[in-house]
């Protein structure tokens, strides 16, 4: 059977690279990676499903593969795990000409990316995302990080991959819930830059077992939004902040609940929160649209008083800035950065959200 042409999206940041989207990408990836020694970093949920075939393809292309498997979950984005990996690499004799290949979701990508960014002052890095969230968002744009007790993602680097291999077959092993956690970021891309994405909510193939060709096109639309934004603002000096739509309240929800609310769920609430703020400022009323997402995404219910969220909204812990920048929507595809949202506006928006849920 003739091989399908992959979809290729270009990122033009400080380095140029491709996001390659297709089914059955192992062999392609093995040939595209130029380095001979590969440090494959994956987790104990993804590796048992996809690791063996990938290693076979890499070895068939004459690569030497060292596989490091970490426990799945956010806890692995720790300084301890990071140091373990670096030390293992030294002990295995990994040199500067080797490459790190991340096979997994956002946690694996962030950790492996920071390992690649810092090992011997930086070695080549490739991403093979396994979750919808990592495919449309985390694997693109070079943000890498680990967590420290003082906060999430406080230590890291911008380190662009040399290529992102999105194997659409990987979606099939996701649960419906895992898929929906990524769908929140997908719809966010729709709101800020491509309203066509918003129609995917009604597409019968927008699910883990959906038609691969259709899914590849849907993922590609979202990856293209992310690629375009990081190409114009790699280091988040301006427009990359648009990707934070829904994220101020999402981060506050996550912090206030000790990260028991998954990121995708928190973002789903955040999209409605920010559309309420936008509407109250006299911009387009997009609440009905975001309520539709909320009904589809089915985030876990929560009952949090505003007082618990306020400390995380009053200032940006990362920068110590007194005012947080919010992303509002003047209309679909028209995000703006606003830095004068008052505590009263925030409280009113939270009350609204609580009533809706
Ligand atoms: N996930 C937001 C960003 O990469 O900037």
């Amino acid at each position: 059977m003739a091989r399908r042409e992959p979809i290729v999206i270009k990122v033009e940041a400080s380095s140029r690279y491709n996001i390659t989207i297709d089914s059955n990408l192992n062999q392609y990836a093995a040939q595209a990676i130029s380095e001979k020694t590969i440090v494959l970093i994956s987790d104990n949920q993804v590796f048992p499903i996809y690791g063996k075939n990938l290693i076979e393809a890499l070895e068939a292309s004459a690569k030497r593969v060292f596989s490091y498997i970490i426990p799945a979950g956010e806890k692995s984005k720790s300084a301890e795990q990071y140091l373990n990996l670096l030390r293992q690499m030294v002990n295995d004799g990994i040199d500067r000409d080797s490459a790190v290949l991340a096979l997994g979701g956002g946690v694996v990508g962030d950790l492996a990316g920071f390992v690649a960014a810092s090992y011997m002052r930086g070695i080549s890095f490739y991403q093979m995302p396994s979750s919808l969230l990592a495919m449309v968002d985390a694997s693109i744009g070079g943000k890498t990080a680990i967590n420290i007790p003082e906060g999430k993602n406080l230590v890291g680097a911008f380190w662009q991959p040399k290529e992102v291999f999105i194997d659409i077959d990987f979606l099939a092993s996701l649960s419906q819930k895992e898929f929906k956690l990524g769908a929140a970021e997908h719809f966010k891309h729709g709101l800020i830059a491509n309203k066509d994405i918003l129609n995917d909510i009604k597409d019968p193939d927008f699910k883990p077992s959906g038609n691969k060709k259709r899914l590849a096109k849907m993922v590609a639309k979202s990856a293209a939004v992310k690629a375009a934004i990081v190409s114009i603002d790699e280091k988040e000096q301006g427009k990359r902040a648009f990707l934070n739509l829904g994220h101020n309240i999402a981060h506050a929800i996550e912090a206030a609940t000790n990260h028991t609310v998954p990121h995708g769920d928190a973002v789903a609430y955040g999209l409605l929160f920010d559309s309420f703020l936008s509407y109250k400022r006299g911009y387009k009323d997009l609440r009905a649209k975001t309520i539709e997402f909320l009904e589809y995404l089915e985030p876990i219910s929560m009952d949090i008083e505003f007082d618990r969220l306020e400390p995380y909204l009053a200032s940006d812990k990362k920068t110590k800035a007194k005012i947080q920048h919010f992303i509002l929507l003047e209309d679909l595809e028209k995000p703006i950065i606003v830095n004068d949202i008052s505590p009263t506006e925030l409280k009113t928006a939270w009350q609204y959200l609580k009533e809706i849920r």
Side-chain angles (χ1 to χ4, degrees), residues 137 143 226 236 240 243:
D137 185 7
K143 277 191 180 174
K226 179 91 191 246
E236 202 169 318
R240 187 162 179 163
L243 296 168

Side-chain angles (χ1 to χ4, degrees), residues 112-132:
F114 189 44
V115 166
S118 50
Y119 187 71
M120 295 190 170
R121 301 196 182 86
I123 65 172
S124 297
F125 177 46
Y126 297 87
Q127 289 263 24
M128 208 157 186
S130 62
S131 66
L132 180 62

